[in-house]
Amino acid sequence: MFIFSRRILGRVGRKKKVLRIGSRREMMTPAHFLCPISLDLMKDPVTLSTGISYDRENIEKWLGEGNRTCPVTNQEVTSYELIPNHAIRRMIQEWCVDNRSHGIERIPTPRIPVSSYEVSEMCGRLEAATGRGDHRECVELVGRMKGLAKESERDKKCIADSGSGRVLAACFRAFSERYEVEDLLKEVLSGLKWMFPLGEESKSMLGSEPSLRCMAWILKGQDSSAKRNVVLVLKKLLSLDHTYANVLAQVDEDVPRVLFEMVKSPNCPSARKAPLEVLYRILTSSSEAKGKLVKMGLPSLVLEILVDAEKGVAEKALAVIDGICDSQEGKGSICSHPLAMALLVKKIMRISEMGTELCVSIMWKLLCKGDEDENQVIEALELGAFQKLLVVLQVGCGENTKERATELLKLMNLYQDRVQCLHNSSGFKYLKKSY
């Protein structure tokens, strides 16, 4: 928060800011060209309801932080409309031109930000065009909306906050069974990916069977950019309501396979994050889809990804493994992988708090839930799991994780005398120990 005293404001009003040009020359900037907040030359001067002019970026940040008073006068702001001060902006531009010989560059004329009224007018036109089934006008309006959003984060937020998500969701639902207007469907999805969170009405339209079937159809196409947009929309939609994951798996049985391929051969390592999250939602909602994914080799793929994955991808990979371990077939596929236990022990307290909790959860499902496999318990002991679980309890963790770690320690304690060296694991010498 900025604090202004009368003494400081008086000094700013009487003096001019010095701009240093080169090593010898100095330039004096007129005080009324400076933003009272940053004391820098205003690039986009706007006037508040109190009559004081500020640079738009600074006053928007001030108001965005929850302040409801004018920084200079301390008066309560009666209107949050920022009126462009064209007069002072033109004066600043003329001054810049007059002093260009001193190295002063002319500030560009700022583009007027989009207003909520303009967005509402576009949404109204889009709704009308959707009702008429005019996909060409819809493409034009959605493209214009996306273009405005690219201008600035302020415009993007204004568009998202003005109910555009509901209108785009309705448009997608209305055209979801008309695959010949593929260009419109892809444009809408591209805009929807940054419109979340959505209201109940919008969520139900996107989660309807026709909409999900259409997204699955685009997902199976060759347009990699459109496929990424589908996955991002699905990721956010399923995080709002995971029941749609089961519907998605039912409307098109090829979806798990397509997502599996996206995880297996991504454009870049970070591109795995969203499809892994969607896969997690699907396999925890549909036992049939989980069985298919296990047979495809998802457990082995995710474990291999986990070896050197960055934090975000590693957390999603562990969540997928945790979901796989909820079935007997899934547990068997994880246990049979030679890297499984070594990776789980290695990743404890190496990724994040969530990563540690997931590692403990997976180990608990493998060792404590169901038939006890003493070879797995002994392997975990040899890898140093006992010491790491003790540290987890010492540094603190959630209640559920605490209970599972305690149960694992009690189980491992029964096998302590059968392990000669707690830190020896000849089969995993290439894995660096983190304890």
Side-chain angles (χ1 to χ4, degrees):
M1 182 180 292
F2 299 96
I3 301 175
F4 296 88
S5 67
R6 292 183 178 179
R7 181 180 299 175
I8 293 174
L9 289 171
R11 190 182 303 130
V12 170
R14 292 191 300 270
K15 295 186 178 181
K16 299 180 179 181
K17 184 173 180 177
V18 176
L19 289 181
R20 296 188 180 278
I21 310 297
S23 58
R24 297 181 179 179
R25 297 181 181 178
E26 292 185 349
M27 214 38 226
M28 304 300 291
T29 306
H32 56 291
F33 290 176
L34 305 177
C35 174
I37 294 177
S38 65
L39 301 182
D40 289 328
L41 192 68
M42 291 187 285
K43 298 178 181 178
D44 186 7
V46 293
T47 303
L48 203 57
S49 60
T50 56
I52 306 298
S53 291
Y54 301 90
D55 190 63
R56 183 185 294 277
E57 182 181 353
N58 295 323
I59 192 62
E60 283 185 345
K61 181 179 179 182
W62 168 268
L63 296 174
E65 291 174 348
N67 298 295
R68 296 295 177 261
T69 57
C70 174
V72 171
T73 66
N74 207 31
Q75 295 176 352
E76 186 175 349
V77 176
T78 57
S79 171
Y80 298 107
E81 182 181 5
L82 303 177
I83 303 171
N85 192 330
H86 298 298
I88 192 70
R89 190 253 306 158
R90 282 193 290 266
M91 291 171 63
I92 292 173
Q93 288 177 323
E94 291 173 0
W95 178 82
C96 290
V97 171
D98 292 341
N99 291 280
R100 60 188 173 187
S101 61
H102 298 288
I104 305 296
E105 295 183 3
R106 180 183 182 275
I107 62 168
T109 301
R111 191 193 65 79
I112 300 175
V114 67
S115 66
S116 56
Y117 173 79
E118 290 178 88
V119 178
S120 297
E121 189 268 338
M122 276 192 294
C123 288
R125 287 181 59 193
L126 183 56
E127 279 186 300
T130 299
R132 295 194 305 271
D134 187 348
H135 94 278
R136 293 186 181 280
E137 185 175 358
C138 288
V139 169
E140 179 186 343
L141 289 167
V142 175
R144 182 183 170 196
M145 197 177 289
K146 287 173 56 184
L148 290 171
K150 290 178 181 178
E151 293 289 339
S152 67
E153 284 300 317
R154 186 257 178 213
D155 286 356
K156 190 175 185 178
K157 186 175 185 303
C158 179
I159 293 170
D161 292 345
S162 299
S164 302
R166 179 188 61 80
V167 180
L168 288 176
C171 181
F172 188 82
R173 172 63 184 86
F175 288 95
S176 60
E177 296 179 275
R178 292 178 55 183
Y179 294 170
E180 72 275 10
V181 295
E182 183 180 356
D183 56 339
L184 171 61
L185 296 168
K186 291 178 178 179
E187 278 287 286
V188 173
L189 285 172
S190 179
L192 273 170
K193 68 184 179 183
W194 47 267
M195 293 289 183
F196 286 80
L198 298 173
E200 287 297 321
E201 183 183 1
S202 306
K203 190 174 68 175
S204 62
M205 286 188 286
L206 279 181
S208 64
E209 286 192 20
S211 293
L212 291 174
R213 188 177 293 109
C214 181
M215 283 189 256
W217 174 71
I218 295 174
L219 199 58
K220 293 189 293 183
Q222 300 300 315
D223 189 335
S224 58
S225 177
K227 290 169 72 171
R228 285 195 300 272
N229 290 335
V230 170
V231 172
L232 289 172
V233 170
L234 285 174
K235 168 190 167 183
K236 295 177 180 179
L237 177 65
L238 301 184
S239 68
L240 295 176
D241 192 335
H242 67 274
T243 58
Y244 294 132
N246 190 35
V247 180
L248 177 63
Q250 289 177 351
V251 297
D252 196 319
E253 60 182 15
D254 284 335
V255 169
R257 177 187 59 78
V258 175
L259 291 167
F260 176 84
E261 292 298 329
M262 291 181 73
V263 173
K264 186 177 181 180
S265 304
N267 294 327
C268 63
S270 60
R272 288 184 164 124
K273 188 175 178 180
L276 275 172
E277 185 166 341
V278 178
L279 275 176
Y280 168 75
R281 302 289 178 184
I282 291 175
L283 65 86
T284 54
S285 301
S286 170
S287 56
E288 184 180 351
K290 181 187 295 184
K292 289 180 180 178
L293 287 165
V294 170
K295 289 177 181 177
M296 286 179 200
L298 182 63
S300 296
L301 174 62
V302 178
L303 284 167
E304 289 165 12
I305 290 171
L306 188 60
V307 172
D308 57 359
E310 53 92 11
K311 176 183 173 182
V313 175
E315 288 179 345
K316 299 297 181 292
L318 285 169
V320 169
I321 296 170
D322 190 56
I324 290 172
C325 288
D326 286 332
S327 71
Q328 199 62 35
E329 183 183 11
K331 281 175 59 176
S333 64
I334 296 296
C335 287
S336 63
H337 197 287
L339 274 180
M341 192 59 66
L343 282 170
L344 291 173
V345 176
K346 177 181 173 66
K347 296 299 179 180
I348 293 176
M349 301 187 71
R350 288 290 297 272
I351 301 172
S352 63
E353 184 177 344
M354 179 186 295
T356 296
E357 290 180 356
L358 286 167
C359 287
V360 173
S361 174
I362 296 166
M363 289 177 64
W364 177 79
K365 289 177 181 180
L366 293 177
L367 303 179
C368 300
K369 193 177 178 182
D371 297 331
E372 180 183 318
D373 186 339
E374 63 178 32
N375 291 329
Q376 290 281 322
V377 178
I378 292 172
E379 181 184 354
L381 276 167
E382 290 176 339
L383 290 163
F386 193 90
Q387 292 84 348
K388 280 206 166 185
L389 290 171
L390 283 175
V391 175
V392 169
L393 292 178
Q394 290 169 0
V395 300
C397 55
E399 194 61 35
N400 198 30
T401 302
K402 182 178 180 181
E403 291 176 3
R404 292 179 174 183
T406 302
E407 191 173 342
L408 282 166
L409 286 169
K410 289 179 180 178
L411 174 64
M412 291 179 184
N413 193 50
L414 300 175
Y415 294 86
Q416 289 275 23
D417 58 342
R418 297 178 59 178
V419 181
Q420 294 181 354
C421 180
L422 296 180
H423 296 278
N424 180 36
S425 180
S426 57
F428 301 97
K429 289 181 179 178
Y430 58 89
L431 288 173
K432 296 179 180 178
K433 292 183 173 59
S434 58
Y435 49 85

